[in-house]
Amino acid sequence: MQRSKQQKIALHLYFINPMYSMQLHFVILGCLLLSLFSCQDKAYEQDYVIYEVDPKQEAIEMYYHNEKSVPIRSLGNLKEFLALRNKELIFAMNGGMFEPNNIPKGLYIEDGQQLQALDTLVGGKGNFYLPPNGVFYLTEDHKADIVVTSAFKPHPTIKYATQSGPMLLVDRQINKVFTQGSTNLNIRNGVGIKATGEVVFAMSKEKVNFYDFAKLFQDMGCVNALYLDGFVSRAYLPSKGWTQTDGDFGVIIGISQSKK
Protein backbone atom coordinates (compact mmCIF):
# COMPACT_ATOMS: atom_id res chain seq x y z
CA MET A 1 0.00 0.00 0.00
CA GLN A 2 1.50 3.37 -1.04
CA ARG A 3 1.41 6.12 1.55
CA SER A 4 0.12 9.58 0.70
CA LYS A 5 2.32 12.66 0.91
CA GLN A 6 0.58 13.61 4.19
CA GLN A 7 1.31 10.18 5.68
CA LYS A 8 4.99 10.43 4.71
CA ILE A 9 5.21 13.85 6.33
CA ALA A 10 3.55 12.54 9.49
CA LEU A 11 6.00 9.65 9.67
CA HIS A 12 8.95 12.02 9.17
CA LEU A 13 7.77 14.38 11.92
CA TYR A 14 7.11 11.54 14.34
CA PHE A 15 10.27 9.51 13.85
CA ILE A 16 12.87 12.07 12.67
CA ASN A 17 12.35 15.51 14.21
CA PRO A 18 13.07 15.46 17.97
CA MET A 19 12.11 19.13 18.40
CA TYR A 20 8.38 18.46 18.42
CA SER A 21 6.68 18.02 21.77
CA MET A 22 5.34 14.67 22.98
CA GLN A 23 1.78 16.01 22.69
CA LEU A 24 2.29 16.81 19.02
CA HIS A 25 3.80 13.39 18.47
CA PHE A 26 0.66 11.73 19.86
CA VAL A 27 -1.58 13.89 17.66
CA ILE A 28 0.43 13.02 14.56
CA LEU A 29 0.52 9.32 15.41
CA GLY A 30 -3.23 9.29 16.06
CA CYS A 31 -3.95 10.90 12.69
CA LEU A 32 -1.63 8.45 10.98
CA LEU A 33 -3.29 5.44 12.58
CA LEU A 34 -6.76 6.71 11.66
CA SER A 35 -5.59 7.14 8.09
CA LEU A 36 -4.17 3.62 7.97
CA PHE A 37 -7.36 2.11 9.45
CA SER A 38 -9.40 4.04 6.88
CA CYS A 39 -7.29 2.49 4.11
CA GLN A 40 -7.84 -0.94 5.65
CA ASP A 41 -11.64 -0.47 5.73
CA LYS A 42 -11.63 0.61 2.08
CA ALA A 43 -9.53 -2.43 1.16
CA TYR A 44 -12.06 -4.71 2.87
CA GLU A 45 -14.90 -3.11 0.94
CA GLN A 46 -13.28 -4.30 -2.29
CA ASP A 47 -13.87 -7.89 -1.17
CA TYR A 48 -16.92 -7.59 1.09
CA VAL A 49 -20.28 -5.87 1.29
CA ILE A 50 -20.09 -4.25 4.74
CA TYR A 51 -22.71 -2.30 6.67
CA GLU A 52 -22.00 -0.98 10.15
CA VAL A 53 -24.97 0.23 12.15
CA ASP A 54 -25.77 1.58 15.60
CA PRO A 55 -29.01 -0.25 16.51
CA LYS A 56 -30.04 2.70 18.68
CA GLN A 57 -29.96 4.97 15.63
CA GLU A 58 -31.27 2.60 12.95
CA ALA A 59 -33.83 -0.09 13.71
CA ILE A 60 -32.70 -3.58 12.72
CA GLU A 61 -35.66 -5.84 11.99
CA MET A 62 -36.17 -9.43 10.91
CA TYR A 63 -38.71 -10.72 8.41
CA TYR A 64 -39.97 -14.18 7.54
CA HIS A 65 -43.49 -14.05 6.09
CA ASN A 66 -46.19 -11.51 5.32
CA GLU A 67 -49.55 -11.03 7.05
CA LYS A 68 -50.94 -13.98 5.07
CA SER A 69 -48.16 -16.28 6.43
CA VAL A 70 -46.54 -16.49 2.99
CA PRO A 71 -42.72 -16.46 3.15
CA ILE A 72 -41.19 -13.26 1.76
CA ARG A 73 -38.27 -15.30 0.37
CA SER A 74 -36.23 -12.68 -1.55
CA LEU A 75 -34.71 -9.24 -0.98
CA GLY A 76 -36.73 -7.87 -3.87
CA ASN A 77 -39.94 -9.13 -2.31
CA LEU A 78 -38.95 -7.52 0.98
CA LYS A 79 -38.34 -4.23 -0.82
CA GLU A 80 -41.84 -4.38 -2.34
CA PHE A 81 -43.36 -5.50 0.97
CA LEU A 82 -41.93 -2.41 2.70
CA ALA A 83 -42.78 -0.05 -0.17
CA LEU A 84 -46.45 -0.93 0.26
CA ARG A 85 -46.03 0.30 3.84
CA ASN A 86 -44.43 3.57 2.71
CA LYS A 87 -40.95 2.43 3.73
CA GLU A 88 -37.70 2.45 1.78
CA LEU A 89 -35.29 -0.47 2.16
CA ILE A 90 -31.81 0.76 3.11
CA PHE A 91 -30.03 -2.53 3.76
CA ALA A 92 -30.92 -6.22 3.77
CA MET A 93 -29.35 -9.66 3.77
CA ASN A 94 -30.44 -13.21 4.48
CA GLY A 95 -30.44 -13.86 8.20
CA GLY A 96 -29.82 -17.55 8.83
CA MET A 97 -30.31 -21.07 7.55
CA PHE A 98 -33.66 -22.61 6.79
CA GLU A 99 -35.55 -25.86 6.36
CA PRO A 100 -37.79 -26.88 3.42
CA ASN A 101 -40.58 -24.40 2.67
CA ASN A 102 -38.30 -21.56 3.87
CA ILE A 103 -38.92 -22.39 7.56
CA PRO A 104 -36.20 -20.79 9.74
CA LYS A 105 -33.77 -23.32 11.21
CA GLY A 106 -33.38 -23.01 14.97
CA LEU A 107 -34.63 -20.17 17.14
CA TYR A 108 -36.56 -17.42 15.42
CA ILE A 109 -38.30 -14.55 17.20
CA GLU A 110 -40.09 -11.83 15.25
CA ASP A 111 -41.62 -8.76 16.87
CA GLY A 112 -41.49 -10.46 20.27
CA GLN A 113 -43.20 -13.66 19.10
CA GLN A 114 -41.26 -16.93 19.03
CA LEU A 115 -42.00 -18.72 15.76
CA GLN A 116 -39.31 -21.41 16.00
CA ALA A 117 -37.72 -23.01 19.08
CA LEU A 118 -34.05 -23.00 20.05
CA ASP A 119 -32.16 -25.93 18.51
CA THR A 120 -29.86 -27.46 21.15
CA LEU A 121 -28.87 -30.61 19.22
CA VAL A 122 -25.18 -31.50 19.63
CA GLY A 123 -23.28 -33.32 16.90
CA GLY A 124 -25.66 -32.65 14.03
CA LYS A 125 -24.48 -32.43 10.42
CA GLY A 126 -23.79 -29.25 8.50
CA ASN A 127 -22.41 -25.80 9.25
CA PHE A 128 -25.28 -24.99 11.60
CA TYR A 129 -23.98 -27.59 14.07
CA LEU A 130 -20.26 -26.75 13.89
CA PRO A 131 -19.44 -26.00 17.53
CA PRO A 132 -20.34 -23.66 18.90
CA ASN A 133 -23.36 -22.23 17.12
CA GLY A 134 -25.09 -19.12 18.41
CA VAL A 135 -27.91 -16.60 18.49
CA PHE A 136 -28.03 -13.01 17.23
CA TYR A 137 -30.76 -11.04 18.97
CA LEU A 138 -32.13 -7.54 19.51
CA THR A 139 -34.06 -6.22 22.49
CA GLU A 140 -36.95 -3.78 22.69
CA ASP A 141 -34.58 -1.05 23.86
CA HIS A 142 -32.50 -1.49 20.67
CA LYS A 143 -29.55 -3.38 22.09
CA ALA A 144 -27.93 -6.12 20.01
CA ASP A 145 -25.97 -9.14 21.13
CA ILE A 146 -24.54 -12.43 19.92
CA VAL A 147 -24.11 -15.36 22.31
CA VAL A 148 -23.27 -19.04 21.98
CA THR A 149 -26.42 -21.17 22.03
CA SER A 150 -25.62 -22.67 25.44
CA ALA A 151 -25.52 -19.17 26.97
CA PHE A 152 -28.76 -17.90 25.42
CA LYS A 153 -31.46 -17.04 27.97
CA PRO A 154 -35.02 -16.37 26.79
CA HIS A 155 -36.35 -13.01 27.96
CA PRO A 156 -39.58 -11.11 27.24
CA THR A 157 -37.62 -8.02 26.13
CA ILE A 158 -36.13 -9.86 23.13
CA LYS A 159 -37.82 -8.48 20.02
CA TYR A 160 -35.92 -10.31 17.28
CA ALA A 161 -33.65 -13.36 17.30
CA THR A 162 -32.15 -15.74 14.77
CA GLN A 163 -30.02 -18.81 15.45
CA SER A 164 -27.25 -20.02 13.16
CA GLY A 165 -23.80 -21.49 13.21
CA PRO A 166 -20.97 -21.69 13.59
CA MET A 167 -19.82 -18.79 15.72
CA LEU A 168 -17.03 -16.95 13.87
CA LEU A 169 -15.64 -15.14 16.92
CA VAL A 170 -16.08 -15.89 20.62
CA ASP A 171 -14.67 -13.26 22.99
CA ARG A 172 -12.58 -11.79 20.15
CA GLN A 173 -10.99 -15.16 19.33
CA ILE A 174 -11.42 -16.93 16.00
CA ASN A 175 -13.34 -20.20 16.30
CA LYS A 176 -10.80 -22.98 16.91
CA VAL A 177 -12.50 -25.34 14.46
CA PHE A 178 -11.38 -23.12 11.55
CA THR A 179 -8.14 -23.82 9.67
CA GLN A 180 -5.99 -21.00 8.34
CA GLY A 181 -5.39 -21.50 4.62
CA SER A 182 -8.35 -23.88 4.27
CA THR A 183 -9.50 -24.58 0.70
CA ASN A 184 -13.14 -24.81 1.86
CA LEU A 185 -14.19 -21.70 -0.05
CA ASN A 186 -17.66 -20.26 -0.45
CA ILE A 187 -19.63 -17.04 -0.56
CA ARG A 188 -20.43 -16.32 3.10
CA ASN A 189 -22.35 -13.78 5.15
CA GLY A 190 -22.41 -13.04 8.86
CA VAL A 191 -22.93 -10.54 11.64
CA GLY A 192 -20.68 -9.24 14.40
CA ILE A 193 -21.00 -7.09 17.52
CA LYS A 194 -18.45 -4.51 18.64
CA ALA A 195 -17.78 -3.66 22.29
CA THR A 196 -19.52 -0.31 21.61
CA GLY A 197 -22.73 -2.16 20.70
CA GLU A 198 -22.45 -1.41 16.99
CA VAL A 199 -23.45 -4.19 14.62
CA VAL A 200 -21.35 -5.20 11.61
CA PHE A 201 -23.00 -7.06 8.73
CA ALA A 202 -20.74 -8.49 6.03
CA MET A 203 -21.00 -10.68 2.94
CA SER A 204 -18.07 -11.80 0.82
CA LYS A 205 -18.18 -10.80 -2.84
CA GLU A 206 -15.99 -13.77 -3.75
CA LYS A 207 -15.51 -17.20 -2.20
CA VAL A 208 -13.67 -17.16 1.14
CA ASN A 209 -12.82 -19.72 3.82
CA PHE A 210 -14.19 -19.61 7.37
CA TYR A 211 -10.90 -18.47 8.93
CA ASP A 212 -10.45 -15.44 6.67
CA PHE A 213 -14.11 -14.51 7.04
CA ALA A 214 -13.80 -14.62 10.83
CA LYS A 215 -10.58 -12.58 10.59
CA LEU A 216 -12.53 -9.80 8.87
CA PHE A 217 -14.80 -9.41 11.92
CA GLN A 218 -11.84 -9.66 14.28
CA ASP A 219 -9.96 -6.92 12.40
CA MET A 220 -13.06 -4.72 12.48
CA GLY A 221 -13.09 -4.85 16.28
CA CYS A 222 -15.93 -7.29 16.88
CA VAL A 223 -16.15 -9.18 20.17
CA ASN A 224 -18.49 -11.92 18.93
CA ALA A 225 -19.54 -12.81 15.40
CA LEU A 226 -21.93 -15.35 13.89
CA TYR A 227 -21.99 -17.06 10.51
CA LEU A 228 -25.38 -16.75 8.83
CA ASP A 229 -25.19 -18.74 5.58
CA GLY A 230 -23.16 -19.66 2.52
CA PHE A 231 -23.54 -19.74 -1.25
CA VAL A 232 -27.21 -18.69 -1.18
CA SER A 233 -26.28 -15.37 0.49
CA ARG A 234 -27.41 -12.08 -0.97
CA ALA A 235 -27.18 -8.46 0.18
CA TYR A 236 -28.90 -5.20 -0.69
CA LEU A 237 -26.98 -1.98 -0.04
CA PRO A 238 -27.68 0.64 -2.73
CA SER A 239 -25.57 3.29 -0.96
CA LYS A 240 -22.53 1.15 -1.87
CA GLY A 241 -23.80 0.21 -5.32
CA TRP A 242 -24.77 -3.33 -4.32
CA THR A 243 -28.37 -4.17 -5.20
CA GLN A 244 -29.04 -7.90 -5.27
CA THR A 245 -32.79 -8.44 -5.15
CA ASP A 246 -33.04 -12.18 -5.79
CA GLY A 247 -32.67 -15.06 -3.34
CA ASP A 248 -34.85 -17.70 -1.74
CA PHE A 249 -34.54 -17.48 2.05
CA GLY A 250 -36.14 -18.03 5.40
CA VAL A 251 -35.18 -15.14 7.67
CA ILE A 252 -34.24 -11.78 6.15
CA ILE A 253 -32.60 -8.99 8.17
CA GLY A 254 -33.51 -5.51 7.03
CA ILE A 255 -33.14 -1.82 7.83
CA SER A 256 -35.60 0.65 6.37
CA GLN A 257 -36.77 4.23 6.72
CA SER A 258 -40.08 5.97 6.13
CA LYS A 259 -40.43 7.50 2.69
CA LYS A 260 -40.57 11.28 2.64
Side-chain angles (χ1 to χ4, degrees):
M1 180 182 70
Q2 290 187 336
R3 293 190 175 93
S4 67
K5 181 177 180 181
Q6 291 81 1
Q7 289 174 329
K8 291 177 180 178
I9 292 172
L11 284 170
H12 174 78
L13 291 175
Y14 185 75
F15 291 108
I16 304 300
N17 194 333
M19 299 300 293
Y20 282 86
S21 68
M22 183 63 71
Q23 182 179 8
L24 181 58
H25 282 204
F26 281 128
V27 171
I28 293 171
L29 181 59
C31 291
L32 178 60
L33 289 174
L34 285 173
S35 177
L36 292 175
F37 281 134
S38 176
C39 289
Q40 184 185 56
D41 288 347
K42 289 180 180 178
Y44 277 138
E45 289 186 355
Q46 294 177 5
D47 300 318
Y48 297 93
V49 180
I50 298 173
Y51 191 65
E52 297 184 59
V53 55
D54 180 349
K56 291 186 177 295
Q57 300 297 323
E58 296 181 82
I60 302 170
E61 298 177 302
M62 297 182 190
Y63 304 88
Y64 165 39
H65 53 56
N66 60 23
E67 64 279 359
K68 296 181 180 179
S69 297
V70 177
I72 293 175
R73 302 181 61 162
S74 74
L75 304 187
N77 287 345
L78 177 60
K79 184 179 178 182
E80 293 178 5
F81 175 81
L82 292 170
L84 292 173
R85 290 151 181 80
N86 201 39
K87 291 184 177 182
E88 178 184 5
L89 185 62
I90 303 301
F91 165 80
M93 68 167 40
N94 49 304
M97 300 174 193
F98 51 94
E99 305 281 10
N101 299 319
N102 303 83
I103 298 172
K105 183 170 182 61
L107 179 70
Y108 181 59
I109 297 173
E110 182 177 321
D111 204 18
Q113 181 180 2
Q114 180 177 302
L115 302 181
Q116 292 294 115
L118 189 72
D119 187 336
T120 57
L121 177 65
V122 176
K125 295 182 180 180
N127 290 332
F128 184 93
Y129 294 108
L130 280 177
N133 55 18
V135 176
F136 167 52
Y137 68 91
L138 298 130
T139 61
E140 291 178 349
D141 57 353
H142 307 291
K143 292 181 181 178
D145 202 1
I146 295 172
V147 297
V148 297
T149 295
S150 60
F152 178 76
K153 305 296 183 185
H155 196 277
T157 63
I158 294 176
K159 189 171 184 180
Y160 295 101
T162 183
Q163 183 182 8
S164 192
M167 291 285 288
L168 299 169
L169 297 179
V170 180
D171 294 332
R172 296 186 171 86
Q173 300 303 307
I174 294 175
N175 192 327
K176 294 180 180 179
V177 304
F178 301 157
T179 302
Q180 191 170 3
S182 168
T183 56
N184 177 16
L185 306 177
N186 220 329
I187 297 294
R188 305 185 189 279
N189 78 310
V191 57
I193 304 287
K194 294 185 175 183
T196 57
E198 290 180 306
V199 180
V200 178
F201 294 102
M203 186 190 78
S204 64
K205 296 178 181 178
E206 303 293 339
K207 294 180 179 181
V208 64
N209 63 38
F210 272 120
Y211 186 94
D212 291 342
F213 191 47
K215 188 70 165 56
L216 164 73
F217 288 97
Q218 186 182 59
D219 289 347
M220 294 192 70
C222 293
V223 177
N224 293 318
L226 179 67
Y227 178 67
L228 293 174
D229 213 338
F231 72 96
V232 302
S233 298
R234 299 290 188 274
Y236 179 84
L237 186 57
S239 64
K240 298 290 180 66
W242 195 269
T243 54
Q244 292 176 313
T245 55
D246 60 334
D248 191 5
F249 315 122
V251 179
I252 302 176
I253 299 171
I255 296 173
S256 63
Q257 65 181 13
S258 297
K259 289 184 178 181
K260 297 179 180 179

